[in-house]
Amino acid sequence: MSHDHDHNHSELSDIELRVRALETLLTEKGYVDPPALDELIETYETKVGPKNGARVVARAWADPDYREWLLKDATAAIAELGFTGRQGEHMVAVENTHDTHNMVVCTLCSCYPWSVLGLPPVWYKSAPYRSRAVRDPRGVLAEFGVTLPEDTKIRVWDSTAEVRYLVIPRRPVGTDSWPEEDLAELVTRDSMIGTGLARDPNSVGETA
Ligand code: FE
C-alpha cells in the first residue's frame, strides 16, 4: 500500500474526472450552489482536522472523568469540546490497551468521523485497505510500520453511516507531567484510526 508515497499527479484521476463531471452537472441542474460547496470543502480541509481528535484524546489522557464519559457517550463528550456536525453524529470511542489494539475501517465505502479527524486520507478509502484491514490487520499494521506485542489482540471496527469510531491510542510512558496541549501534539491522525501509535515523546520538543 502506497499510503506514504508522494506521487506527482500530472493529470486528474478517473475519480477526480467523475467528481468534476458530477459537480458540473449538479450545478447546471441547480442542485448545488458552488460557493456553498467550496465553503464546505474548505471547512473540512482547513478548519476541521485531526487536531480536533487530538484534543479529545489528550483530554481523555489527562482527565479520568472525561475519559470515562468519552468511553460511555463519545458523541456527547466530543460535543462538549465543540466538535459536532456532519459524520460525527454518532461517535463511539474505543481505547487501546496492552491487551487490545483497535483499528477502524469502513469496508463498504469510506465512512469516517469528519468532526474529529477531518477528511479521510486516500488510503482509508482505497480498496486494498478496506478489504485487508479485516482479513489481515497485522499485515496492514506492519505496512504502516506498527508492530504490536504478540499477545495484543487486534479488534477491527467497521464504520457505518450510523456509527463512527475514534481510537484512543495508548498514552506514551514518561508523559505524566505533560500538560494537555503538549499531550495533544503526540496524537497523530493515524493513531486515532488505529493504523499508528501515539508519537514517541522524545521525538517532539517538550515545551518548557
Ligand atoms: Fe463508508
Side-chain angles (χ1 to χ4, degrees):
M1 189 164 23
S2 60
H3 58 272
D4 232 344
H5 300 181
D6 197 9
H7 294 290
N8 202 352
H9 293 288
S10 54
E11 52 186 33
L12 293 175
S13 70
D14 189 45
I15 285 183
E16 285 163 338
L17 286 170
R18 281 168 174 273
V19 168
R20 179 175 283 191
L22 209 52
E23 187 183 340
T24 305
L25 191 65
L26 290 171
T27 304
E28 276 171 11
K29 298 246 179 218
Y31 294 131
V32 159
D33 175 28
L37 188 62
D38 287 346
E39 199 187 311
L40 187 68
I41 291 169
E42 207 215 74
T43 297
Y44 283 98
E45 274 182 344
T46 62
K47 299 187 189 122
V48 181
K51 274 186 190 305
N52 289 3
R55 279 186 49 205
V56 172
V57 170
R59 172 69 56 89
W61 283 348
D63 178 346
D65 290 339
Y66 184 81
R67 171 187 164 273
E68 206 174 307
W69 185 23
L70 183 64
L71 289 170
K72 220 162 68 189
D73 184 355
T75 310
I78 291 168
E80 168 77 9
L81 296 189
F83 310 133
T84 56
R86 279 161 200 276
Q87 308 225 7
E89 292 94 342
H90 303 284
M91 295 290 308
V92 169
V94 289
E95 186 181 47
N96 287 348
T97 62
H98 174 85
D99 294 331
T100 308
H101 178 91
N102 298 283
M103 196 168 133
V104 181
V105 65
C106 176
T107 53
L108 221 56
C109 46
S110 58
C111 299
Y112 191 72
W114 291 15
S115 60
V116 279
L117 297 186
L119 296 174
V122 172
W123 56 258
Y124 184 85
K125 299 183 276 187
S126 73
Y129 177 74
R130 283 160 39 207
S131 59
R132 288 194 50 220
V134 174
R135 238 177 32 236
D136 178 23
R138 220 168 268 271
V140 170
L141 284 178
E143 284 171 17
F144 278 89
V146 175
T147 314
L148 298 169
E150 292 253 315
D151 58 337
T152 299
K153 271 200 329 258
I154 303 175
R155 191 151 179 203
V156 179
W157 300 84
D158 196 354
S159 296
T160 64
E162 301 297 315
V163 182
R164 309 298 163 92
Y165 298 94
L166 176 73
V167 174
I168 309 173
R170 297 181 72 192
R171 179 176 179 162
V173 289
T175 58
D176 287 358
S177 61
W178 285 37
E180 218 174 288
E181 63 198 75
D182 290 350
L183 288 173
E185 297 292 320
L186 301 176
V187 185
T188 63
R189 177 194 67 199
D190 288 5
S191 74
M192 292 181 281
I193 303 174
T195 51
L197 306 176
R199 281 196 185 98
D200 175 354
N202 300 310
S203 73
V204 298
E206 196 179 350
T207 51

